[in-house]
Amino acid sequence: MPFVRIDALNAGPERLDALGRSVHEALVETLGIPPEDHFQVLTGHDGANSTLRYGDYLGVRRDEGIVYVAITMRAGRTPDRNRALYRRIAELAHAYAGTEPRNVFVTVTENASIDWSLGHGVAQYAPGD
């Protein structure tokens, strides 16, 4: 049950949709997430009223094509599966949205089953007595 936030500079609805599809397909392909498990917040920043900051770090040169992808999900994947996820997100973001892979910045935050309520004020993954 990943929860995904995508922030992109100078991104209209079409680019945001393409980026959302890229991340969702990568999650389904690499981690086996069910296709209907699709929860995303997509935000475009115009550079004037809201913007994104970025820098060149660890030899990666970024520019105004920057896309931040923050994925929150339950813990339990191997490092190799996470690496496959990052790689596939970058590939699909390039294919679908024209985003250069160097501009795809991904972070994963993992938590426990009790940290999720999917509605009705219930912890569906960690039911109580």
Side-chain angles (χ1 to χ4, degrees):
M1 174 35 204
F3 178 67
V4 176
R5 291 183 175 270
I6 299 173
D7 289 89
L9 193 56
N10 300 317
E14 295 83 18
R15 183 167 180 234
L16 287 172
D17 180 65
L19 292 166
R21 280 189 298 120
S22 300
V23 173
H24 185 67
E25 285 185 25
L27 286 163
V28 171
E29 287 178 23
T30 63
L31 302 184
I33 301 301
E36 66 277 4
D37 191 346
H38 196 179
F39 299 93
Q40 299 181 334
V41 176
L42 310 172
T43 306
H45 301 269
D46 64 10
N49 295 309
S50 63
T51 194
L52 300 176
R53 301 283 187 237
Y54 56 88
D56 298 341
Y57 184 64
L58 295 177
V60 180
R61 297 191 49 82
R62 296 167 191 85
D63 60 28
E64 66 278 351
I66 189 73
V67 174
Y68 290 114
V69 178
I71 302 170
T72 303
M73 61 185 172
R74 293 183 293 163
R77 279 95 186 166
T78 66
D80 285 342
R81 289 188 78 184
N82 280 8
R83 287 183 189 98
L85 173 65
Y86 307 148
R87 185 173 43 256
R88 191 64 177 142
I89 289 171
E91 291 169 354
L92 292 174
H94 186 248
Y96 294 166
T99 301
E100 293 183 43
R102 66 184 172 87
N103 278 321
V104 180
F105 185 108
V106 180
T107 181
V108 170
T109 302
E110 296 182 323
N111 58 24
S113 294
I114 191 61
D115 297 319
W116 295 86
S117 174
L118 310 179
H120 298 291
V122 175
Q124 284 87 352
Y125 292 138
D129 297 347

